Amino acid sequence: MRTILGIDPGTNVLGYGIIRCSGRNNAKLVVLGVIELSKYRDHYTKLKVIYERVQHLVDEYKPNEVAIEAPFYGKNVQSMLKLGRAQGVAMAAVLSRSIPIYEYAPRKIKLAITGVGSASKEQVAAMLKNILGEKDFDQKYLDATDGLAAAVCHFFQGEQGESNGAKASSWEEFIRKNPGRIKNK
């Protein structure tokens, strides 16, 4: 049994999702949530809250691994700097508990979940609902589903053995190699 914490770092809202995995194709949602940071005006207070809350999540749910979304490159350097700090503080909280961290680019996460690297937050949430067999996700938790997507992406990477170089060359081959990823309605 593996427990994976996924984090979507942010300076106003940090999203997270935790899954428990058994076997190659079985992942269940444990918790989904956000850390609201917009109520704190001081950036350093936000960083302190991120550190404390992520450490609390780690202590409470005891994940074996953490998957975190890498910052994307934007035009605003100050925003990038603040986002990088938020990610770094979240990583420090996890590393203080000696848990391995895996970082994924936003495009890779979206591709793993939806098959489209430019998918919207809504599309990611809808696919996660299907993958995990959930009834619905509240739309206010789209940052949380982004964190959950990082965890599920990491789960898929482990089950597909990304490091062995075996990638599907067509949809037919992908379906043949990943029968557990296909859900019939």
Side-chain angles (χ1 to χ4, degrees):
M1 186 75 92
R2 290 167 56 201
T3 301
I4 304 170
L5 165 61
I7 299 174
D8 175 29
T11 56
N12 288 320
V13 178
L14 181 142
Y16 64 88
I18 299 175
I19 56 173
R20 287 224 167 88
C21 316
S22 60
R24 293 174 41 92
N25 298 313
N26 188 7
K28 297 289 180 200
L29 176 65
V30 174
V31 68
L32 182 69
V34 295
I35 300 171
E36 291 282 348
L37 301 162
S38 56
K39 60 186 169 190
Y40 304 103
R41 292 199 174 272
D42 180 50
H43 183 66
Y44 300 107
T45 303
K46 290 180 181 187
L47 296 176
K48 180 179 185 277
V49 170
I50 290 170
Y51 186 86
E52 291 170 349
R53 292 289 309 277
V54 169
Q55 226 174 31
H56 176 76
L57 287 169
V58 168
D59 291 344
E60 183 175 352
Y61 295 100
K62 304 194 180 339
N64 308 93
E65 303 156 81
V66 173
I68 192 164
E69 185 175 301
F72 58 91
Y73 298 102
K75 295 179 182 178
N76 187 326
V77 176
Q78 288 301 316
S79 294
M80 282 298 301
L81 178 62
K82 287 179 180 179
L83 185 58
R85 286 178 180 166
Q87 183 199 35
V89 167
M91 292 170 82
V94 170
L95 291 171
S96 74
R97 299 298 194 248
S98 301
I99 298 170
I101 298 172
Y102 300 86
E103 188 175 13
Y104 295 96
R107 187 168 184 80
K108 180 165 185 146
I109 293 170
K110 291 174 183 180
L111 188 62
I113 303 303
T114 68
V116 178
S118 61
S120 70
K121 286 178 176 281
E122 293 81 7
Q123 289 170 317
V124 170
M127 283 302 294
L128 286 170
K129 184 177 76 168
N130 291 335
I131 291 167
L132 297 172
E134 292 294 316
K135 290 182 181 168
D136 206 6
F137 294 127
D138 191 330
Q139 289 294 315
K140 72 176 185 177
Y141 285 110
L142 290 178
D143 289 299
T145 55
D146 282 353
L148 178 61
V152 173
C153 172
H154 180 65
F155 173 63
F156 287 164
Q157 298 307 310
E159 80 181 35
Q160 291 176 347
E162 181 184 71
S163 61
N164 70 7
K167 295 192 182 215
S169 60
S170 68
W171 278 111
E172 291 81 14
E173 184 180 350
F174 175 84
I175 292 168
R176 193 177 74 253
K177 288 182 176 181
N178 300 279
R181 301 261 313 264
I182 308 303
K183 301 254 187 204
N184 293 326
K185 291 189 177 197

